[in-house]
Amino acid sequence: MVTLGGFVVALSLSGVLAVPLEQQVTLQSSLARTPLPIANPTKSFWINSPGANPLAKEGSTGPLTTAADVCIIGSGMSGISAAYKLSEEAGLRVAVFEARDFCSAATGRNGGHLTTYVFQDFHNLANKYGVEQAKAGFALENYTSHAIVKIIEDEGLEDVVNLVHGGHTSIFMTEALEAKRRKDYEEALVAGMNLDAVKWHSKEEMKAAFGTSYPAITFDAYNFWPLKFVTQLYRLAKERSASTFGSLVLHTNTPVTGVLPSSDSGKWDLITLRGSVSCQYVLHATNAYAGHLLPSMRGAAGIIPTRGQVVAIKSKNTGISSWTNSQGEYWFPRPGGDPDQSLVILGGGNSAARGEEAPVTDDSVLNPRVGQALRKFFPKIFGVEEREPDMEWTGIMGYTAMGDPFVGPLLPLQKDTKGQYISAGLSGHGMPRAFSSAQAAASMIIADIKNETWEAPEWLPERYLTENRV
C-alpha cells in the first residue's frame, strides 16, 4: 500500500483501491460488524449466464447437516479449494456454508484472469521482507497457477471452464510507472528469478500491433471462467471424499450468524437460521465478509470490504491475451469473438470513485462515475467508439493493510478461538493466491487432526501467516 497524490492506493493486477487520506481515520476506527452479503446483488456475466451455476441453490432446503469434522464458511475459490485439499484425508466429514447462492461473491464477480505477478513491486517487497521472502510471494502465485491448470488439464476440463492460455499484456500509462517496473525487473533478475518469459514492447510496437500508444510488457498467463472451475473442483472433492468413506456437503443460502463454543468440549457450534451445526474445526473463507463473525477482522487492522465494478462490453478484439494497465484497469476478450470485435470483460475505473468504494459491502448497486470511466476506457486506449455494456455488475473484495491475505489459526489474532482458522483478505488479487492460501490453511487443519507438526511449504510467504500478523 502506497501514498500517491493524496490517496492511499493498493494496486493489483485486478483492481485498484483508492481511499482519500481523510477517510483513513474512518477506516482505522471502523470496528462495526461487517454486514452479511446483500440478498439481491447485481447480475454478473459469470453467474447469470444460462446454465453457469448449477450448484446455485444446493443444500438450501431440506435437512441441515448437524455435525461435521470441518465446517467451511464461504463457497468461493478459497472455501472449495480447502474442501478439495481436505478430501485427500480418508473419512473426514466436511460441510460448506454459503450466505447466498454458490460462489456468488468475489470469485463469481471478478475479471476472469488467472494472472500471476512475475516481478511487479519486487523492489518494495525485497526492501520490506528480504529478497527470499519477496521471491516466495511470486513462487506462491506460480504454484497456484500451475496447480489449477494441472487439475483442469488432468480432468479434461479445458472447454468446460473456458481455459485460455493466451499470455498477459500490461501497458504503462506513464513513463514513471514504466521506469518503476524496469527497476523491479532488473532487481528480480539480480535476485535469480527466471524472467525469460517477460518481453518488453515499445509504444511504436504496440501501436503497430494493437493501435495503442503505450509501451508494455508481455508474459505467460491464463484466463478462465472461475465459477465453472470452482463448480468442477467441488464435484471432484465430493467424489474423492465419498471414495474414502468421508463426506462433503454444501448448504447455500444458509448464512452463518455466529460461531459459539459448543457444550461438547473443544468443539464449535455454527449458528444459522436453519439450526446449529457442531464442528471440530472451522475455516473462515469469507474474504471481505470475515468481519461479520470475527471482531479481529474489523477495521484497518483486519479486512476492509471494497467494491469493484466490471462490465461485459463489445469492443476491439485484441486477441486472446488478458490485459492490465498500470492504473488498475483489467480486461480480456472472451474466446469465440469475430476477428474485429469481441465481448470483453473489463473491470476497474476505481480512480473515478472518489474513495466511495471502501469500506463498502453493497454489491446490489453500481457507481455511475465508475461506469462512465469504464465506458470511456477503450476509446481512450484504442481509439474505438464508445459503447454501452451488455452487462454491468459489482463485487466486494477484501483488502488488508499490507495487501496480503491472513492464513492460519485465528488464535494469534483473537483469543479463545482454538480450532478456528482463516484464509481471507486477498486484496483484489485473489485468483493467483486464493487456491494455495486456502490449501495451506486446510493442511494445518489436517496436521492438527493427525497430531502432527505442520510444515510450511516453500512457496508460502511467512508474512501471510497469522502468527506473523500480531
Side-chain angles (χ1 to χ4, degrees), residues 319-405:
I320 61 175
S321 172
S322 58
W323 292 66
T324 52
N325 70 3
S326 55
Q327 295 179 342
E329 277 68 46
Y330 49 98
W331 68 99
F332 79 93
R334 290 277 303 140
D338 66 43
D340 300 316
Q341 179 178 278
S342 180
L343 183 68
V344 182
I345 308 298
L346 165 67
N350 277 16
S351 58
R354 304 177 186 175
E356 297 171 348
E357 303 303 279
V360 175
T361 59
D362 186 356
D363 55 5
S364 69
V365 296
L366 305 170
N367 185 317
R369 283 189 295 274
V370 174
Q372 280 299 106
L374 292 174
R375 286 161 173 77
K376 294 181 181 300
F377 181 72
F378 285 139
K380 174 184 176 182
I381 299 297
F382 295 113
V384 297
E385 65 178 317
E386 183 176 330
R387 294 193 175 193
E388 281 297 303
D390 290 15
M391 294 185 73
E392 186 169 12
W393 65 93
T394 50
I396 310 300
M397 301 170 283
Y399 278 80
T400 68
M402 62 189 291
D404 292 315

Side-chain angles (χ1 to χ4, degrees), residues 172-212:
F172 303 110
M173 304 296 286
T174 68
E175 292 181 357
L177 285 167
E178 181 184 12
K180 183 178 186 300
R181 287 294 174 249
R182 284 193 178 275
K183 184 175 185 178
D184 290 331
Y185 175 80
E186 290 162 4
E187 292 187 11
L189 281 177
V190 170
M193 291 182 63
N194 183 351
L195 302 179
D196 291 346
V198 178
K199 307 298 180 187
W200 294 79
H201 306 275
S202 68
K203 60 183 179 182
E204 290 79 16
E205 290 172 325
M206 293 298 291
K207 181 70 172 178
F210 299 106
T212 184

Side-chain angles (χ1 to χ4, degrees), residues 8-32:
V8 172
V9 179
L11 290 171
S12 79
L13 281 176
S14 56
V16 56
L17 165 62
V19 182
L21 288 176
E22 57 269 22
Q23 287 188 229
Q24 295 308 297
V25 175
T26 301
L27 294 179
Q28 290 286 349
S29 61
S30 177
L31 297 176

Side-chain angles (χ1 to χ4, degrees), residues 193-338:
M193 291 182 63
N194 183 351
L195 302 179
D196 291 346
V198 178
K199 307 298 180 187
W200 294 79
H201 306 275
S202 68
K203 60 183 179 182
E204 290 79 16
E205 290 172 325
M206 293 298 291
K207 181 70 172 178
F210 299 106
T212 184
S213 299
Y214 298 97
I217 56 171
T218 55
F219 52 91
D220 195 39
Y222 297 81
N223 53 66
F224 68 150
W225 196 309
L227 167 60
K228 290 187 176 182
F229 172 73
V230 173
T231 300
Q232 294 300 316
L233 196 64
Y234 176 79
R235 175 184 62 80
L236 293 170
K238 191 173 182 68
E239 290 173 355
R240 187 159 65 181
S241 291
S243 72
T244 60
F245 304 100
S247 64
L248 174 61
V249 295
L250 169 64
H251 291 292
T252 65
N253 294 281
T254 306
V256 176
T257 57
V259 180
L260 303 177
S262 173
S263 57
D264 189 352
S265 179
K267 294 187 177 182
W268 296 97
D269 286 339
L270 265 61
I271 309 304
T272 81
L273 295 178
R274 299 172 60 195
S276 63
V277 185
S278 176
C279 312
Q280 185 75 46
Y281 297 89
V282 179
L283 175 60
H284 298 263
T286 46
N287 205 33
Y289 301 96
H292 181 70
L293 296 172
L294 303 175
S296 60
M297 292 295 116
R298 298 168 194 166
I303 298 174
I304 300 171
T306 305
R307 185 168 57 200
Q309 195 155 319
V310 185
V311 296
I313 191 168
K314 290 186 175 66
S315 192
K316 181 175 182 174
N317 191 335
T318 54
I320 61 175
S321 172
S322 58
W323 292 66
T324 52
N325 70 3
S326 55
Q327 295 179 342
E329 277 68 46
Y330 49 98
W331 68 99
F332 79 93
R334 290 277 303 140
D338 66 43

